[in-house]
C-alpha cells in the first residue's frame, strides 16, 4: 500500500493572507499534501471567495473551501481606509471567525489537526492552539529574505541600514539597497509593513513547522542557517504540478486570479512568435508604476527591437504613453490587462522576462527556465533581484538613473543583454539547469517532496 492510499484522519486547514501572491502558493501546497492523503480545507476571506476567478472551488479540486472574515466582506482591502485599518480588521474578525470555523468543523466530525497559517497572520497560531490543533507557519517569500528579517528580529541589524552588511549568517554581502526595502525605508508609510514582516517571527515557537516557498538547492546557505534555530522546511516551488513533476493529475491551473486573464489573445500572439524570440513584461498584482517610468519602459522595449507582451493592469493603463494601448498591437508589442503568466513563460516563445521580481514571478521564471531583466520596486524584490543576477546567474538587474527611474536606454541595454548579449547563452544554460533542479526538488524523493512527506506523516 502506498502512502497516498492509507486512510488518514488528519485534516489541515490552510489560512492564506488574502492576496493572489499569497493564496496561490498556499493552495499549491494544499494540493500537494492532499495528494499525499491529508484532508484539506482552505479558508478564504468572504470577499476573496466571492470575487476571484475562477471560483476557488473550481481552481483546486480535492480541497474543500470555507470562509472567514477580514471584517471587510463587501470590498476587502479597498473597503478599509488603509493598511493599518485592514490589518486590525483582519486580526480581530479573522481570529473570531477562524475560531468559529474550527469549532464548526470539529462539531461536524472533521476536527482540524493542523492549521497552516500565512506567516503574515501570526495570531492564527494561538487560535489553533486554543482549539487543540497544531500550527504550521507558511512563508511565501524567499529563504534569504526571511533570513534577513530574522536577523532584524533578533537584533543583529539596526534600522535604517546605511552601509553594506557583510558576514550575516546565511546571506550574501548586501548593499543597503539590496536588502528588502523596509531596511532603508522604515518610517511611515512603510512602518506598518515592517511590523508585518517582522511579526512573522512572533509566536513562531508555537508552530511545529516554518514552511518556506523555495527549494533547498536554490538557497542552501540561508536554509541551513535558519534551520539552526527554527523548524525551517523548504517545500517549493509551489507552481502547478503540470509545470514541474506532473504528479498531481489535472493540476495545471494555479488557483485564484485577481483579474480575468486574456488567455486567447496571449496564446494567439505567442503562437505567431518563433522560439525564444519574445519579451514578456509584468510587474505583478500590486506594484504601481509611475507614468514617467511606464513611458521609459515603453520606449526602451520598443527600442530593443523584440516583440513584447506587456501586462499593464486596467488600473494602470492610463499611464501608457501615446502609441501604446491595452489590447492593441503597437510598436512591436501587445499590451494586455492580465495574462496567464505561467502559460506565457512556459510557452517556449519567451526568451526574456522583464519582472519586478516578486517572489512568485521569480520562482515561475526559474521553473520555466526563462532568464530575467529585473526592475525591482519594493519589499522583498531588490533582494530577489540580487540573487537572480549574482547567485543564480539567470538575469540582469536594471539600474536606476536620473529621478530614480530605470531609463529607456537601460531597459534596452538589459533586454539586449539577456536576448543576444555575450552573457546570454550562459544565462539560458543556467536557467535550464534551475528548471531541472526545481523539478527534481518536488519530484518523488526530492528535497521539497521529503519535507512535504515529513509534514503529512506528522499530522495524518
Ligand atoms: C507580492 C509582492 O509584491 C511580492 O514581492 C511577494 O513576494 C509576494 O506578494 P506581487 O507583487 O503580486 O506579490 O508579485 P508576485 O509574487 O510575483 O505574484 C504575482 C502573481 O501574479 C504571480 O503568480 C503571477 O503568475 C501572477 N500574474 C501576474 C498573473 O497571473 N498574470 C499577470 O498578468 C501578472
Amino acid at each position: 500500500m502506498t502512502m497516498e492510499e492509507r486512510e488518514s484522519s488528519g485534516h489541515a486547514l490552510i489560512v492564506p493572507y488574502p492576496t493572489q501572491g499569497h493564496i496561490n502558493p498556499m493552495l499549491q501546497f494544499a494540493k500537494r499534501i492532499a495528494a499525499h492523503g491529508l484532508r484539506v480545507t482552505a479558508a478564504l476571506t468572504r470577499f476573496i471567495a466571492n470575487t476571484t476567478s475562477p471560483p476557488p472551488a473550481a481552481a483546486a479540486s480535492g480541497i474543500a473551501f470555507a470562509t472567514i472574515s477580514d471584517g471587510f466582506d463587501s470590498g476587502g482591502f479597498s473597503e478599509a481606509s488603509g493598511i493599518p485599518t485592514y490589518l486590525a480588521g483582519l486580526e480581530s474578525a479573522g481570529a473570531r471567525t477562524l475560531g468559529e470555523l474550527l469549532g464548526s468543523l470539529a462539531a461536524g466530525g472533521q476536527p482540524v489537526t493542523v492549521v497552516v497559517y500565512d506567516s503574515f497572520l501570526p495570531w492564527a497560531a494561538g487560535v489553533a492552539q486554543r482549539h487543540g490543533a497544531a500550527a504550521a507557519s507558511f512563508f511565501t517569500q524567499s529563504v534569504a529574505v526571511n533570513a534577513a528579517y530574522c536577523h532584524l528580529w533578533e537584533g543583529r541589524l539596526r534600522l535604517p541600514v546605511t552601509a553594506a552588511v557583510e558576514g550575516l549568517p546565511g546571506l550574501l554581502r548586501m548593499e543597503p539597497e539590496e536588502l528588502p526595502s523596509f531596511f532603508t525605508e522604515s518610517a511611515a508609510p512603510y512602518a506598518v509593513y515592517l511590523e508585518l514582516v517582522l511579526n512573522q517571527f512572533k509566536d513562531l515557537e508555537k508552530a511545529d513547522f516554518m514552511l518556506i516557498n523555495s527549494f533547498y538547492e536554490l538557497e542552501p546557505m540561508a536554509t541551513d542557517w535558519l534551520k539552526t534555530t527554527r523548524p525551517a522546511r523548504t517545500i517549493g516551488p509551489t507552481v502547478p504540478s503540470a509545470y514541474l513533476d506532473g504528479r498531481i493529475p489535472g493540476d495545471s491551473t494555479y488557483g485564484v486570479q485577481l483579474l480575468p486573464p486574456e488567455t486567447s489573445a496571449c496564446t494567439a500572439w505567442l503562437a505567431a512568435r518563433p522560439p525564444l524570440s519574445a519579451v514578456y513584461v509584468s510587474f505583478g498584482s500590486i506594484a504601481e508604476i509611475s507614468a514617467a517610468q511606464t513611458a521609459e519602459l515603453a520606449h526602451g522595449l520598443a527600442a530593443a527591437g523584440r516583440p513584447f507582451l506587456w501586462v499593464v493592469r486596467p488600473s494602470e493603463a492610463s499611464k501608457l504613453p501615446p502609441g501604446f494601448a491595452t489590447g492593441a498591437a503597437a510598436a512591436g508589442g501587445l499590451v494586455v490587462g492580465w495574462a496567464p503568466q505561467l502559460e506565457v513563460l512556459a510557452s517556449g516563445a519567451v526568451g526574456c522576462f522583464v519582472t519586478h521580481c516578486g517572489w512568485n514571478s521569480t520562482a515561475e521564471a526559474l521553473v520555466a527556465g526563462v532568464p530575467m531583466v529585473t526592475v525591482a520596486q519594493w519589499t522583498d524584490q531588490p533582494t530577489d533581484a540580487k540573487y537572480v543576477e549574482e547567485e543564480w546567474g539567470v538575469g540582469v538587474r536594471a539600474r536606476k538613473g536620473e529621478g530614480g527611474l530605470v531609463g529607456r536606454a537601460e531597459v534596452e541595454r538589459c533586454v539586449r543583454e539577456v536576448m543576444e548579449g555575450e552573457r546570454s547563452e550562459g544565462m539560458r544554460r543556467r536557467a535550464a539547469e534551475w528548471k531541472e533542479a526545481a523539478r527534481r526538488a518536488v519530484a518523488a524523493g526530492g528535497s521539497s517532496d521529503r519535507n512535504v512527506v515529513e509534514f503529512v506523516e506528522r499530522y495524518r
Side-chain angles (χ1 to χ4, degrees):
M1 186 182 271
T2 67
M3 192 190 67
E4 284 79 357
E5 286 163 339
R6 258 190 277 149
E7 271 297 298
S8 163
S9 56
H11 185 186
L13 181 68
I14 307 286
V15 190
Y17 182 82
T19 58
Q20 180 173 336
H22 286 242
I23 296 168
N24 285 343
M26 289 187 80
L27 284 183
Q28 286 308 128
F29 175 70
K31 290 182 196 172
R32 292 234 163 231
I33 57 175
H36 278 286
L38 267 194
R39 178 196 295 273
V40 186
T41 302
L44 301 180
T45 61
R46 288 176 194 141
F47 173 71
I48 291 284
N50 291 335
T51 54
T52 49
S53 77
S61 55
I63 300 169
F65 282 87
T67 54
I68 58 171
S69 176
D70 54 7
F72 301 97
D73 292 343
S74 53
F77 178 70
S78 58
E79 191 187 335
S81 58
I83 183 84
T85 322
Y86 182 72
L87 292 175
L90 182 58
E91 178 162 355
S92 62
R96 179 175 49 77
T97 52
L98 177 60
E100 288 166 5
L101 176 60
L102 288 167
S104 77
L105 288 169
Q110 296 176 5
V112 168
T113 49
V114 58
V115 173
V116 184
Y117 64 95
D118 191 301
S119 56
F120 282 5
L121 315 173
W123 43 264
V127 181
Q129 277 194 340
R130 285 195 288 283
H131 285 265
S137 187
F138 190 101
F139 286 65
T140 51
Q141 299 180 343
S142 79
V143 189
V145 163
N146 287 307
Y149 289 142
C150 190
H151 286 308
L152 192 56
W153 174 257
E154 293 178 346
R156 263 172 238 108
L157 283 169
R158 282 224 182 145
L159 297 187
V161 176
T162 52
V165 182
E166 205 155 359
L168 276 181
L171 294 182
L172 301 177
R173 176 186 195 273
M174 309 286 279
E175 293 294 336
E177 67 277 9
E178 294 173 335
L179 284 160
S181 62
F182 311 128
F183 285 69
T184 49
E185 291 174 316
S186 51
Y190 300 110
V192 62
Y193 294 102
L194 177 65
E195 198 183 329
L196 187 67
V197 295
L198 287 181
N199 280 345
Q200 296 181 102
F201 293 89
K202 189 175 154 187
D203 287 342
L204 192 53
E205 63 284 353
K206 290 182 182 161
D208 295 341
F209 285 98
M210 175 183 188
L211 303 166
I212 312 179
N213 181 17
S214 186
F215 58 104
Y216 180 77
E217 292 74 12
L218 192 64
E219 304 188 84
M221 223 167 58
T223 310
D224 285 341
W225 177 73
L226 264 177
K227 277 183 91 163
T228 59
T229 57
R230 303 285 192 292
R233 299 287 187 277
T234 45
I235 49 73
T238 52
V239 161
S241 180
Y243 295 90
L244 287 160
D245 56 332
R247 275 205 300 166
I248 305 178
D251 180 30
S252 58
T253 55
Y254 219 138
V256 299
Q257 288 287 345
L258 174 86
L259 297 163
E262 295 171 34
T263 304
S264 48
C266 293
T267 311
W269 188 88
L270 289 164
R273 307 269 100 69
L276 305 181
S277 65
V279 178
Y280 171 64
V281 190
S282 151
F283 294 90
S285 63
I286 299 165
E288 291 174 6
I289 312 294
S290 70
Q293 182 63 82
T294 305
E296 293 306 311
L297 277 164
H299 296 299
L301 289 170
R306 300 284 183 157
F308 59 86
L309 177 61
W310 184 6
V311 178
V312 179
R313 300 191 310 273
S315 57
E316 298 273 287
S318 63
K319 299 172 184 171
L320 283 164
F324 295 81
T326 314
L334 174 66
V335 184
V336 296
W338 197 244
Q341 179 160 305
L342 254 175
E343 270 177 71
V344 170
L345 288 171
S347 67
V350 176
C352 167
F353 179 17
V354 179
T355 173
H356 70 318
C357 255
W359 185 237
N360 292 292
S361 294
T362 306
E364 290 158 19
L366 291 167
V367 166
V370 176
M372 290 164 257
V373 169
T374 71
V375 188
Q377 300 298 306
W378 70 316
T379 173
D380 55 338
Q381 298 151 18
T383 311
D384 299 342
K386 177 186 175 77
Y387 277 72
V388 162
E389 185 182 71
E390 283 187 12
E391 183 76 348
W392 306 322
V394 289
V396 173
R397 273 184 290 183
R399 309 280 163 176
K400 287 181 181 160
E402 236 169 84
L405 299 180
V406 175
R408 58 191 73 186
E410 176 68 354
V411 173
E412 179 186 351
R413 182 190 71 81
C414 291
V415 170
R416 287 187 184 278
E417 181 79 31
V418 168
M419 293 296 277
E420 67 211 23
E422 265 172 36
R423 294 191 289 152
S424 138
E425 207 170 295
M427 282 188 261
R428 225 163 256 177
R429 196 187 61 247
R430 281 185 294 276
E433 287 165 5
W434 285 121
K435 175 181 175 172
E436 180 53 25
R439 199 196 61 75
R440 276 199 308 268
V442 299
S447 57
S448 291
D449 181 63
R450 291 199 303 275
N451 291 336
V452 169
V453 169
E454 180 192 0
F455 178 90
V456 170
E457 289 290 302
R458 178 86 159 252
Y459 303 114
R460 61 187 301 109

